[in-house]
Amino acid sequence: MNHIAIVSSSIRTGRKSHRVALFFRSFLEENQLASSEILDLAAYNFPLFEERLRYLASQPAGAIEFAERIKSAQGIIIITPEYNGGYPASLKNVIDLLADEWKHKPVGIVAVSDGPFGGTQVIGQLQFVLWKMGAYTIPARLQVANVAEQYDEMGIPSDKLSANKRASSFIGELLDCVALNSMKRG
Ligand SMILES: Cc1cc2nc3c(=O)[nH]c(=O)nc-3n(C[C@H](O)[C@H](O)[C@H](O)COP(=O)(O)O)c2cc1C
């Protein structure tokens, strides 16, 4: 079974986008689509970037483990909030920390906002950064608007049918990319 790492990027006090990470972990496991785990950047609590991991004499706690989890996952889901039209510093911090781990990695982006637009602006920016890293960002994207109304603290959606339908087509495309990638690279 494929393994999908879900990066929960917000480290904000009172964050809401983590609810969507919880939803995706349950969705993948309940539907037996893949094994999964959440890589919670708030829990890792990485210091501000100084240099790429491979050049650091003193590596932040958890950094090697984080790198290994990104490397070994067959696919990644990035849950990102939109802050001022872009991605949070916490996310760029770990994208820059790694290098080859992102290369040829299928990545699906889920943009989250607490307003009505669902993080439309962050997606293009994050796709560009991940393209520079050599990741395979999938064309499907998922935008969650009004997150606090749409998901409770446990990640249970208020409209289960609609959330599952959207997740299903998004995950379908991610898993297609994972399958093509493993045919090519084993
Ligand atoms: C610094 C900051 C900037 C924000 N900028 C945007 C924005 O550009 N577009 C938007 O739709 N929401 C914006 N919001 C609202 C976020 O979408 C909302 O706080 C959401 O819950 C963020 O995810 P989080 O709670 O996991 O941090 C912003 C929030 C913060 C804290």
Side-chain angles (χ1 to χ4, degrees), residues 9-19 80-86 112-121 147-148:
S9 334
S10 176
I11 61 168
R12 191 177 68 83
T13 310
R15 65 186 176 167
K16 304 280 187 338
S17 58
H18 190 67
R19 300 172 181 203
T80 182
E82 179 173 281
Y83 291 162
N84 298 316
V112 179
S113 92
D114 206 16
F117 301 116
T120 41
Q121 290 169 311
V147 61

